[in-house]
């Protein structure tokens, strides 16, 4: 069973590939699109990317395993990425992490059984003035405390 | 040309070469792991750092180009410190596998540690654990704990073979080289990976646990398994004084030749050496005459048979079967004796059937000297059993390939019609009981001589091993035969070595003059 | 009130939209550059402005542009480094969020100066929402004729593509950025050759930081002399300092180059919060050597900080109070660099991992005599021996922390 894009996505992919003089250069943007469409980049998705760009699957795997944002296994609807770098750690990131772990019952690297939340620890998000910060999917939240994080999580459908 | 100074020595160098190459040409070895002359510099192992006067930091010898007047120090205090530092990093995460690692004795980490290290271990942490016995290919095992991430293997598969079965995965200290989801390295050059690997990460299963590298000698030879004529080393055991070794040759490795095989050999050549020590013919087998026991008496009997037919002017009753493994010198003598002196026309070749060529080294012709035979004036007609005319009384066969191409029953049928059959071969086979006399002979590494490769390049070589048992090199037998036949005695008198035969070839055949 | 070059209009609503931007002298710099000036004049201005790179290396922008060969038939490329990965750094995020058209103007003028028709903005993958905002801004600029073919009738063409990274700090290093843009692992390249001659797709390439390029429009409009005078003679203009940590008012502060660090912390950022005492400051992002509380009498410019054995880097100031555990800081730093090491070269790959293991062991209470000396020795074995600056970026802060706060760390070992 090979993967198929929606027509809309196909257009996006074509536009991306046309932005580079060499097809291979489109790999990272294409992988982002694939991850958005299929939720993960497993072997099947690697083969899809490889065939789109005329490169080997091994080259795709080399790239996928280098960058932290490419998920080899699907993550939950909301991927909570807590910054564990310097300022955030010193300003209470551990507390925030504990709150989330308690509330959702998962540890970093795990997903809730209803597949709604995945929890991860990440490096500096570039939101140090709001420490402790985290990112849910691509949305930033900062100046966090127990109350705030509970509210944020409760408000996510 | 320009002048530079390496370790206070003045050296003349070509423009555009690297410090590493300049040092190498001057006989100065700079330690390195990731650098290999077949590939552009990687610059990642950091072992080859050297000090260049006027530059603030140490620079890589492998990738820095020489400049006029450059002053390089390859062994200054700073450089030695840096080298020790890199070594220490590598050894910190390296498993203590030396006692069970095939690379021992041939290992750069060991060599450099001895030269630059011998320092105490300062690593008090737990080493990273990784997969240790990955089945990488038909002849290959990969140990990721021993890997130093020089990435020669990945580069070789991508750039030389073009198959790219290996890649670099993960990041940072988790980085590893591996195949994809167990899809093995499956090409005819996989064996080069084991030779390329500077440590015992990639090892070959043929050599695994067989012996230790310090028991082996390396002899220069030419691979005879196709017509490329790749240069090889035959690695043979020196032997123990107090007990026997099961075989002589333990490994074949590639020998550099820029014109022919670069730094590589194919797996057929690399792993096809077992016949050197298996099933060798070592004693004369005389089936019909119990009086013939020694090589001498056997050869005398053989010579006599030929002489009789010559004096009766019935040499047309002799059929000669040759093969394209014979050296230039041997084929030359065969032509001189049988075609010229004896006027024999029934000369045929029996060679193993052609295979598929790849676009790298392996030729479809799986013999080493067809071109040599052609240049010597032979018309190479492959033998059919029907070529044995009713008239044939004496059949002379070189090599046992007959039994590989025709069925024994077919052979027997034709053989029964020929009264005298003489077989010269290095291996035992079913033919031994079907001929009058079987003479044990030498294989290519056991004799001196030359071979002509597919592109017409003539390569000379000296013997690396001794002929086992009573066996003799064919050129020796033929030189003796030429003399004893007494047809052209003076001609063969001085042809007592392959060199002398070659010089005679050069006089008579323009192709060999160069 | 200090004059602001970049952040003057950050607080205006919807300033990221082109019609609002145009109401505030928007694209006047592009107009002037493309219709009144020429590339040589622009290059002269850039050099005279003494505009140093704002990404971390501090290399003069005009000089960098001058390295690109003008003869030759290969296309040239401009890569905007929007990877902003140096821990503590938040400035580019603010510029691109609140004033994306300023960046686009900077890109257009720089590309015009060097003769570049294709530009890529390499933005870190986490800044997805900002990438979308940039793409919208680019579309707006296209519609209005500020991008595309024959911009403002000048005969100059330019396309800008936003290219997202995927989570790798090393891709902020210029050659790793190029590798990543080419669709490969972010492994830094050997230099020489330098990107100015062999860069993206083996063609001459300029790589500049977001903040650096964002300064170009005002240099064009108000002149190099004006810009340089805002800062120091050899280090012109203003900087957006990112201040975070235990200060009352963390955030961005656009101030002249050469502003005193003490002022930055105590006058502008409100001083240490909760009345605590200052313990240490990291002045230029995590890669810069740490300063003790008695070492902050210093001006925030490249030369002064270099003299003090530290560096201005990305201008990201992280303030640590008296309750901060230095061992904890060290642990976080070593964890970061070993996670972000690309793994190519021996000293960085193994050195970072080894030091991290030692520090982790110490923080578990299993420290030994000789651990600190070992850390120093290993860091020195990394320093200036690696393929790219990440090795130094790790070794320098580690060395400075271990040397300046040795006593504190030793208490964890006894």
């Amino acid at each position: 069973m090979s993967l198929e894009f929606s027509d809309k996505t196909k257009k996006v992919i074509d536009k991306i590939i046309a932005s580079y003089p060499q097809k291979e250069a489109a790999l990272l943007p294409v992988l982002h699109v694939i991850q958005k469409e299929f939720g993960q980049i497993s072997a099947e998705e690697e083969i899809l990317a490889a065939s789109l760009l005329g490169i080997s699957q091994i080259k795709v795997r080399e790239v996928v395993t280098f960058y932290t944002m490419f998920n080899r296994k699907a993550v939950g609807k909301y991927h909570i990425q807590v910054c564990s770098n310097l300022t955030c750690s010193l300003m209470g990131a551990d507390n925030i992490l504990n709150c989330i772990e308690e509330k959702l019952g998962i540890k970093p690297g795990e997903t809730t059984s209803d597949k709604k939340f995945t929890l991860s620890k990440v490096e500096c998000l570039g939101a140090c003035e709001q420490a402790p910060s985290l990112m849910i999917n691509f949305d930033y939240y900062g100046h966090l405390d127990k109350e705030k994080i509970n509210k944020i999580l409760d408000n996510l459908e | 040309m320009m002048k530079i100074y390496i370790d206070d020595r003045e050296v003349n160098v070509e423009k555009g070469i690297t410090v590493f190459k300049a040092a190498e040409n001057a006989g100065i070895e700079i330690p390195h792991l990731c650098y290999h002359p077949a590939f552009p510099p990687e610059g990642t192992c950091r072992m080859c750092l050297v000090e260049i006067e006027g530059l603030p930091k140490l620079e890589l010898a492998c990738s820095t180009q020489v400049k006029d007047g450059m002053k390089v120090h390859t062994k200054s205090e700073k450089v030695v410190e840096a080298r020790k530092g890199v070594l220490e990093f590598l050894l910190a995460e390296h498993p203590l596998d030396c006692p069970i690692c095939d690379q021992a004795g041939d290992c750069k980490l060991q060599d450099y540690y001895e030269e630059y290290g011998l320092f105490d271990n300062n690593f008090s942490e737990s080493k990273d654990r990784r997969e240790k016995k990955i089945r990488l290919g038909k002849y290959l095992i990969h140990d990721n704990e021993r890997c130093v991430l020089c990435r020669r293997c990945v580069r070789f598969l991508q750039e030389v073979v073009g198959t790219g079965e290996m890649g670099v995965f993960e990041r940072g200290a988790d980085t590893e080289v591996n195949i994809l989801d167990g899809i093995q390295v499956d090409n005819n050059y996989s064996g080069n990976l084991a030779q390329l690997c500077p440590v015992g990460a990639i090892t070959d299963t043929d050599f695994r646990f067989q012996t230790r590298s310090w028991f082996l000698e390396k002899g220069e030879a030419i691979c005879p398994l196709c017509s490329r004529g790749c240069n090889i080393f035959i690695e043979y055991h020196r032997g123990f004084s107090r007990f026997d070794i099961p075989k002589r040759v333990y490994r074949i490795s590639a020998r550099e030749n820029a014109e022919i095989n670069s730094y590589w050999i194919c797996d057929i050549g690399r792993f096809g050496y077992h016949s050197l020590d298996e099933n060798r013919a070592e004693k004369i087998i005389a089936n019909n005459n119990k009086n013939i026991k020694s090589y001498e008496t056997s050869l005398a009997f053989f010579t006599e048979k030929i002489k009789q037919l010559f004096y009766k002017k019935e040499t047309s009753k002799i059929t000669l079967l040759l093969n394209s493994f014979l050296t230039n010198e041997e084929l030359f003598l065969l032509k001189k004796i049988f075609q010229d002196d004896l006027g024999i026309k029934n000369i045929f070749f029996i060679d193993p059937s052609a295979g598929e060529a790849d676009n790298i080294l392996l030729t479809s012709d799986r013999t080493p000297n067809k071109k040599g035979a052609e240049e010597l004036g032979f018309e190479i007609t492959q033998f059919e059993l029907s070529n044995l005319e009713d008239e044939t009384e004496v059949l002379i066969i070189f090599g046992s390939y007959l039994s590989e191409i025709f069925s024994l029953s077919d052979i027997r049928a034709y053989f029964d019609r020929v009264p005298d059959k003489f077989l010269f071969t290095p291996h035992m086979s079913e033919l031994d009981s079907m001929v009058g006399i079987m003479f044990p002979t030498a294989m290519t590494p056991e004799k001196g001589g030359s071979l002509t490769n597919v592109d017409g390049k003539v390569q000379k070589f000296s013997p690396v091993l001794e002929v086992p048992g009573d066996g003799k090199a064919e050129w020796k037998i033929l030189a003796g035969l030429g003399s004893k036949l007494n047809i052209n005695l003076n001609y063969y008198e001085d042809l007592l070595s392959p060199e002398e035969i070659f010089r005679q070839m050069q006089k008579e055949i323009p192709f060999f003059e160069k | 009130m200090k004059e602001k070059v970049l952040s003057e209009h950050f607080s205006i609503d919807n300033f990221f939209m082109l019609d609002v931007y145009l109401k505030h002298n928007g694209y006047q710099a592009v107009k002037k550059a493309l219709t009144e000036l020429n590339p040589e004049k622009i290059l002269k201005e850039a050099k005279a402005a003494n505009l140093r790179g704002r990404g971390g290396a501090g290399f003069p922008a005009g000089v960098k542009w001058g390295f690109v060969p003008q003869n030759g038939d290969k296309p040239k490329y401009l890569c905007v480094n929007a990877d902003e990965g140096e821990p503590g750094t938040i400035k580019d995020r603010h510029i691109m969020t609140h004033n994306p058209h300023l960046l686009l103007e900077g890109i257009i003028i720089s590309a015009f100066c060097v003769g570049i028709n294709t530009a890529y903005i390499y933005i870190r993958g986490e800044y997805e929402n900002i990438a979308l905002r940039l793409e919208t801004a680019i579309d707006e600029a296209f519609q209005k004729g500020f991008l595309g073919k024959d911009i403002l009738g000048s005969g100059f063409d330019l396309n800008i593509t936003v290219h997202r990274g995927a989570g790798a700090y090393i891709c902020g290093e210029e050659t790793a950025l190029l590798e990543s843009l080419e669709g490969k692992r972010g492994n830094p390249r050997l230099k020489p050759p330098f990107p100015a001659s062999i860069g993206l797709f083996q063609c001459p390439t300029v790589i500049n930081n977001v903040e650096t390029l964002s300064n170009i429009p005002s240099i064009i409009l108000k002149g190099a002399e004006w810009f340089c005078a805002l800062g120091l003679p050899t280090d012109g203009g203003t900087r957006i300092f990112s201040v975070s940590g235990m200060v009352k008012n963390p955030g961005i502060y656009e101030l002249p180059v050469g502003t005193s660090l003490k002022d930055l912390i105590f006058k502008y950022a409100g001083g240490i919060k909760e009345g605590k005492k200052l313990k240490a400051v990291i002045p230029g992002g995590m890669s810069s050597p740490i300063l003790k509380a008695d070492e902050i009498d210093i001006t925030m410019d490249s030369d002064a900080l270099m003299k003090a054995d530290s560096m201005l880097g990305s201008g990201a100031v992280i303030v640590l109070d008296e309750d901060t555990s230095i061992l904890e800081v060290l642990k976080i730093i070593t964890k970061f660099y070993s996670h972000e090491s690309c793994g190519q070269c021996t000293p960085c790959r193994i050195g970072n991992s080894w030091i991290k293991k030692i520090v982790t062991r110490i923080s578990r209470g299993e420290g030994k005599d000789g651990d600190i000396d070992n850390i120093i020795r290993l860091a020195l074995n990394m320093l200036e021996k690696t393929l790219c600056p990440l090795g130094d970026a790790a070794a320098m802060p580690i060395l400075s922390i271990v040397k300046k706060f040795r006593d504190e760390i030793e208490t964890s070992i006894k």
Side-chain angles (χ1 to χ4, degrees), chain B residues 161-177:
Chain B
V161 192
T163 45
E165 294 100 322
M166 291 181 77
V168 186
F169 307 111
E170 308 301 331
R171 190 172 83 191
D174 293 333
T175 310
E176 59 169 40
V177 295

Side-chain angles (χ1 to χ4, degrees), chain B residues 41-46 49 56-60 62-63 78 81-82 84-86 88-90 92-93 121-128 147-149 151 168-175, chain C residues 166-170 185 187 190-192 338-354 357-358 361 364 368 371 374 377-379 381-382 384-388 392:
Chain B
E42 265 288 275
T44 54
C45 74
R46 314 307 284 181
L49 288 169
K57 298 198 286 190
L58 299 176
E59 300 291 336
L60 295 177
C62 66
S63 63
K78 245 173 117 178
E81 270 314 298
K84 277 183 167 171
V86 171
E88 191 182 9
F89 284 134
L90 289 170
E93 291 288 356
N121 170 32
N122 270 315
F123 184 79
S124 317
E125 329 304 322
S126 304
K127 290 186 196 254
D128 294 331
C147 177
V148 293
L149 284 174
R151 283 183 303 281
V168 186
F169 307 111
E170 308 301 331
R171 190 172 83 191
D174 293 333
T175 310
Chain C
Y169 163 76
I170 186 60
R185 293 164 64 88
N187 287 334
L190 283 175
K191 293 197 280 207
S338 48
H339 185 249
E340 299 297 338
S341 166
C342 77
Q344 260 198 123
C345 77
T346 312
C348 175
R349 177 180 75 243
I350 303 182
N352 274 313
S353 165
W354 188 346
K357 287 181 181 177
I358 299 176
R361 180 167 50 76
R364 272 203 312 263
K368 295 208 285 251
D371 274 344
N374 217 11
R377 196 175 56 84
L378 295 174
N381 276 339
M382 282 168 58
E384 299 188 340
K385 313 261 176 18
T386 52
L387 194 147
C388 88
D392 298 340

